[in-house]
Amino acid sequence: MKPISLKEIANITGASPTTVSLVLNGKGRISEAVRQKILQAVKDNGYEPNRIAISLRTGHSNVLGVIVDDIGGPFFGALAKIIEVEAEKFGFRIIYCSSENNLEKARELISMLSHQLVDGYIIMPVPGLQDEILNLKANHKPVVLIDGYYPELDIPHVLVDNLNSVMQGMSCLIEAGHRKIGFVTVDIDLIQIKERLRGYFESLKKFNLKADDKLVLKLPYQMDKGKAVQAVKDLFGSNRDMDAVFFSTNYLGIIGIESIQELGLSIPKDIAVICFDDLEIFRLLPPGISSIQQPVLEIGRTATDLLLAMLGKKKNHLQTDKITIPANLIIRGSIKAINVPKFVE
Amino acid sequence: MKPISLKEIANITGASPTTVSLVLNGKGRISEAVRQKILQAVKDNGYEPNRIAISLRTGHSNVLGVIVDDIGGPFFGALAKIIEVEAEKFGFRIIYCSSENNLEKARELISMLSHQLVDGYIIMPVPGLQDEILNLKANHKPVVLIDGYYPELDIPHVLVDNLNSVMQGMSCLIEAGHRKIGFVTVDIDLIQIKERLRGYFESLKKFNLKADDKLVLKLPYQMDKGKAVQAVKDLFGSNRDMDAVFFSTNYLGIIGIESIQELGLSIPKDIAVICFDDLEIFRLLPPGISSIQQPVLEIGRTATDLLLAMLGKKKNHLQTDKITIPANLIIRGSIKAINVPKFVE
DNA sequence: GGGGTAAATGAAACCGATATCACTTAAAGA
DNA sequence: TCTTTAAGTGATATCGGTTTCATTTACCCC
């Protein structure tokens, strides 16, 4: 019960494989009579071309590779859907992979994908992956980075405007009267994370508040959750006058909320909270956790369009291939104007 | 800068393509000298075989197709990871796809995957897909269903024990003293959903409580969220004496919580809540939403192992290929023993 | 009618691997 | 010494398409 091949269609119709191929691809000039006969035979026999054979011969697979840090994560869900929708319009399929922010794993994935003859890549940067990316570029394999980029490399990328989003959020806290603002982030060499921290310091400077390193907590990447919760609790413990806290990722936000719950603190009375990257839970959790919502759909769509343009499938309407997209600041109950004595400006 | 081919390795070493192939696959008997020379050339030139060519020739791709309802959903995240881990041990790659519980889409996906020469399938059943599944079976393509199955078909499947899990949860509510228990579910022709509803009625029968259809709400599949929230609010409105509610999916649980929040009801004082399928949010949301946690990892691992066994890659230690796995009942603050007068048994 | 041209089609090479089968040695057995 | 036999290797077909190039046919024009 093997599927029928093009050659068999040729035999059935009395045409040559060449002719059948030409008809199927709408190329060449084939008489209407022959065309119809072939098309009919194709239909009657439920013939569909073998993609593998096509890939082997043509050297391209109509498959895009997408490498994200965590295929189970909340960022990925929305992303996958929009990438798929955009790519499908041009007949592209997607292979998704998780790098888990692990360099070795990411390397293997790229190697694996390239031997599957993947036509293009959407990659979430992993520290140290620069050489592999350059290698892809050298081999004329189009790559678009999302969610981050390598400052030293000239590779197209699409990501949220981390710096300004954080500054917006910080403004909001400061204008609500908060002065002792903590910042919890993760210690990983990713530009997007560094930019968020920079946004924190820039905001303090902008409002003439002095930075205090004791208010900044950098947790090791992939730290055990229990330990992370404890570390955040310690941050609160050693900074009793801290009146607001900024979490630089949604994962950290969850950890932070657990810490706050365990300490029995009340949001926003004891502490105001804002978190980078929204989650459904932030909306549902009383009093609502304010957040900076990433425009995931737009990032995904833009990245895919960019990639398709590089593949020559689509015209590129954008002037640049290094794109930052503004985020949405979502203010919920976790930030409330506090009583600020008038003399404190 | 095309990647180097096996033939070129043959030229470099002066061996024939056959010999190189045999060495690479550890087949045949090749003298150690030749073997080493070939291996060295492979290493020096960074040769890696072209998977596409291998697939074409051998007829299998070492790729598994996984079709779930929603690739962005919470069930999928954990599932994907474990499937990947298990499959990788045997050199299999995965292609993930979303059916969105849409029959037409699911059909296309199967067609697409089969033309990519996918070796085996893990599929979350979609109503009406029976013929396509049977067709795969007829073509000797192994299929394992997860999270549900088709009662009329003899196809291997792995899923949680829906009936008994619900009955456990119900027992817990009833033993806590609840008598007027609502059940919110979705109107879709999936065995797992029907079994949950059956579990509800069976429990009532078991405890000699009379069933009341007014306490059961079946929402249309993929109903607009706002409307769904309203429908649940209406359920509460027209059943003032309802003292507990069971949500048959985590998605419905979220909707239910929003309804309860909007109505200003207090959990568990006004209403006890339990939900099928755990979410992180249920743990964090005060007072903690009780839930029935699916053993996702075990389902994923079992399904993959079953599939690999069918592919002859692994011995099957299980006696059957129709497997149900017990769930974990997680009791949180959303259920509390209420004051039951002694004379009510 | 011969020559030129374009339309319509086919033969065969090719993509990069594997599989079959044949061939060459060298060692073992008669 | 002459087979036998097995080890070691290579030539070639093959998977299912696409692509290049050649060929046939029909038509047109001088």
Side-chain angles (χ1 to χ4, degrees):
Chain A
M1 257 299 272
K2 268 183 27 174
I4 191 168
S5 75
L6 178 143
K7 205 171 286 181
E8 299 179 77
I9 295 290
N11 283 338
I12 291 171
T13 57
S16 76
T18 309
T19 307
V20 176
S21 173
L22 291 174
V23 167
L24 288 171
N25 294 292
K27 295 182 182 175
R29 325 175 124 282
I30 305 297
S31 71
E32 194 53 26
V34 175
R35 230 178 69 81
Q36 286 307 331
K37 188 155 74 173
I38 290 176
L39 255 25
Q40 191 59 46
V42 163
K43 202 180 220 172
D44 291 348
N45 296 280
Y47 166 77
E48 295 219 27
N50 180 320
R51 307 283 195 122
I52 299 286
I54 296 178
S55 290
L56 180 59
R57 178 66 239 236
T58 63
H60 53 78
S61 56
N62 275 25
V63 171
L64 304 180
V66 175
I67 302 179
V68 296
D69 59 345
D70 177 13
I71 206 173
F75 184 78
F76 174 72
L79 189 72
K81 223 168 284 178
I82 187 74
I83 290 180
E84 202 162 322
V85 168
E86 290 296 300
E88 195 176 19
K89 290 181 195 163
F90 296 85
F92 279 82
R93 292 286 325 151
I94 315 284
I95 296 186
Y96 303 103
C97 318
S98 292
S99 69
E100 281 143 46
N101 269 330
N102 172 342
L103 181 55
E104 217 31 65
K105 182 110 196 256
R107 285 199 178 121
E108 278 170 28
L109 288 175
I110 289 184
S111 160
M112 186 277 291
L113 290 174
S114 70
H115 295 295
Q116 304 265 24
L117 297 190
V118 157
D119 293 340
Y121 300 78
I122 293 180
I123 299 179
M124 202 174 283
V126 173
L129 200 61
Q130 285 90 335
D131 284 351
E132 280 70 20
I133 304 279
L134 285 176
N135 202 21
L136 288 177
K137 190 181 176 185
N139 290 330
H140 306 105
K141 291 294 181 186
V143 179
V144 174
L145 304 176
I146 50 168
D147 200 43
Y149 60 96
Y150 301 103
E152 69 277 22
L153 301 191
D154 175 30
I155 302 283
H157 54 251
V158 183
L159 74 165
V160 70
D161 185 342
N162 287 282
L163 179 71
N164 286 306
S165 314
V166 169
M167 289 186 71
Q168 256 189 284
M170 285 294 289
S171 294
C172 181
L173 285 174
I174 294 172
E175 281 160 9
H178 298 282
R179 291 296 175 269
K180 282 284 192 178
I181 304 173
F183 193 84
V184 178
T185 186
V186 55
D187 192 12
I188 187 170
D189 186 26
L190 291 173
I191 186 79
Q192 60 270 38
I193 300 296
K194 291 201 216 157
E195 283 290 289
R196 293 177 199 172
L197 183 58
R198 190 159 79 86
Y200 169 74
F201 286 119
E202 291 286 320
S203 298
L204 294 180
K205 196 184 296 176
K206 180 174 157 195
F207 285 89
N208 289 315
L209 297 173
K210 66 169 184 297
D212 179 354
D213 279 348
K214 287 214 310 293
L215 289 174
V216 174
L217 176 61
K218 282 190 186 184
L219 298 172
Y221 179 64
Q222 286 181 332
M223 188 185 207
D224 169 79
K225 189 161 186 178
K227 283 187 191 154
V229 169
Q230 187 55 49
V232 176
K233 283 164 80 173
D234 292 346
L235 176 73
F236 283 97
S238 51
N239 295 282
R240 295 298 168 104
D241 53 350
M242 194 167 78
D243 55 9
V245 59
F246 199 126
F247 295 102
S248 83
T249 76
N250 52 23
Y251 174 69
L252 292 172
I254 301 281
I255 286 173
I257 288 164
E258 293 206 48
S259 310
I260 292 171
Q261 285 183 355
E262 290 186 15
L263 288 171
L265 296 177
S266 154
I267 303 174
K269 200 166 71 67
D270 301 324
I271 184 104
V273 174
I274 187 166
C275 184
F276 200 102
D277 213 354
D278 196 33
L279 283 181
E280 177 153 52
I281 191 172
F282 293 157
R283 184 170 57 83
L284 293 172
L285 202 66
I289 306 299
S290 306
S291 72
I292 289 158
Q293 185 182 45
Q294 292 207 56
V296 184
L297 288 190
E298 209 178 332
I299 292 175
R301 177 168 33 230
T302 308
T304 313
D305 289 356
L306 218 48
L307 191 61
L308 289 168
M310 293 166 77
L311 285 163
K313 299 294 171 181
K314 195 171 173 158
K315 258 189 288 181
N316 185 357
H317 305 289
L318 306 157
Q319 298 88 332
T320 171
D321 56 5
K322 307 203 175 31
I323 300 167
T324 61
I325 301 179
N328 297 319
L329 182 60
I330 303 184
I331 299 301
R332 302 198 176 99
S334 69
I335 302 181
K336 214 169 226 145
I338 58 180
N339 257 348
V340 192
K342 279 285 176 223
F343 60 88
V344 177
E345 277 293 84
Chain B
M1 259 297 276
K2 267 182 32 173
I4 191 168
S5 76
L6 178 142
K7 203 171 288 179
E8 300 179 75
I9 295 289
N11 283 338
I12 291 170
T13 56
S16 76
T18 307
T19 307
V20 177
S21 173
L22 290 175
V23 167
L24 288 170
N25 293 294
K27 295 183 181 174
R29 325 174 127 282
I30 306 295
S31 69
E32 194 54 23
V34 175
R35 230 178 69 82
Q36 285 308 329
K37 188 154 75 171
I38 289 175
L39 255 26
Q40 191 59 46
V42 163
K43 206 182 218 174
D44 291 347
N45 297 279
Y47 167 78
E48 294 219 27
N50 180 320
R51 307 278 195 129
I52 300 288
I54 297 178
S55 291
L56 179 59
R57 179 65 240 240
T58 64
H60 53 80
S61 57
N62 274 27
V63 171
L64 306 180
V66 175
I67 301 179
V68 297
D69 59 345
D70 178 13
I71 205 174
F75 184 78
F76 173 72
L79 189 72
K81 224 167 285 180
I82 187 72
I83 291 181
E84 203 162 322
V85 168
E86 289 297 299
E88 195 176 19
K89 290 181 195 162
F90 296 84
F92 279 82
R93 293 285 324 152
I94 315 284
I95 295 186
Y96 303 104
C97 318
S98 292
S99 70
E100 281 143 45
N101 269 328
N102 172 342
L103 181 55
E104 214 32 62
K105 182 109 197 258
R107 284 198 178 124
E108 279 170 27
L109 287 175
I110 289 183
S111 159
M112 188 275 293
L113 290 173
S114 70
H115 294 295
Q116 304 266 25
L117 298 189
V118 157
D119 293 341
Y121 300 78
I122 293 181
I123 298 178
M124 199 175 285
V126 172
L129 200 62
Q130 286 89 333
D131 285 350
E132 280 70 22
I133 304 279
L134 285 177
N135 202 23
L136 288 177
K137 188 179 177 186
N139 288 330
H140 306 104
K141 291 293 180 187
V143 179
V144 174
L145 305 175
I146 51 168
D147 198 42
Y149 60 97
Y150 301 104
E152 70 276 23
L153 301 191
D154 174 29
I155 302 282
H157 55 251
V158 183
L159 73 166
V160 70
D161 184 343
N162 287 283
L163 180 70
N164 286 307
S165 314
V166 168
M167 289 185 71
Q168 255 188 284
M170 286 294 290
S171 294
C172 181
L173 286 173
I174 294 170
E175 281 160 10
H178 298 282
R179 291 295 175 270
K180 282 284 192 178
I181 303 172
F183 193 85
V184 178
T185 186
V186 54
D187 192 12
I188 188 171
D189 186 26
L190 291 173
I191 187 79
Q192 60 269 43
I193 300 296
K194 292 201 214 154
E195 282 292 286
R196 294 177 197 170
L197 183 57
R198 189 159 78 86
Y200 169 73
F201 285 119
E202 290 289 319
S203 298
L204 294 179
K205 197 184 294 175
K206 179 175 157 195
F207 285 89
N208 289 314
L209 296 173
K210 67 170 183 297
D212 179 354
D213 279 346
K214 285 215 311 293
L215 290 174
V216 174
L217 176 61
K218 282 191 187 184
L219 297 173
Y221 178 64
Q222 285 181 333
M223 187 187 208
D224 169 79
K225 190 163 185 179
K227 282 188 192 153
V229 169
Q230 188 54 50
V232 177
K233 282 163 80 172
D234 292 347
L235 174 73
F236 283 97
S238 51
N239 294 281
R240 297 297 169 106
D241 54 350
M242 193 166 80
D243 56 9
V245 60
F246 199 126
F247 296 102
S248 84
T249 76
N250 52 22
Y251 174 67
L252 292 172
I254 300 282
I255 287 173
I257 288 165
E258 293 208 47
S259 310
I260 291 171
Q261 285 184 356
E262 290 185 16
L263 289 171
L265 296 177
S266 156
I267 303 173
K269 201 167 69 70
D270 301 325
I271 184 105
V273 174
I274 187 167
C275 183
F276 200 101
D277 211 356
D278 196 32
L279 284 181
E280 178 153 51
I281 190 168
F282 293 157
R283 183 169 58 82
L284 292 172
L285 202 68
I289 307 299
S290 306
S291 71
I292 289 157
Q293 185 181 46
Q294 293 207 54
V296 184
L297 288 189
E298 209 177 331
I299 292 176
R301 179 170 30 235
T302 309
T304 312
D305 289 357
L306 217 49
L307 191 60
L308 289 169
M310 293 165 79
L311 285 163
K313 299 293 170 181
K314 196 172 173 156
K315 257 188 290 183
N316 185 357
H317 305 287
L318 306 156
Q319 299 87 330
T320 169
D321 57 5
K322 305 200 176 40
I323 300 166
T324 61
I325 301 179
N328 297 320
L329 184 58
I330 302 185
I331 299 301
R332 301 199 177 97
S334 69
I335 302 180
K336 214 169 226 141
I338 56 181
N339 257 347
V340 193
K342 282 281 178 223
F343 58 88
V344 177
E345 279 294 86

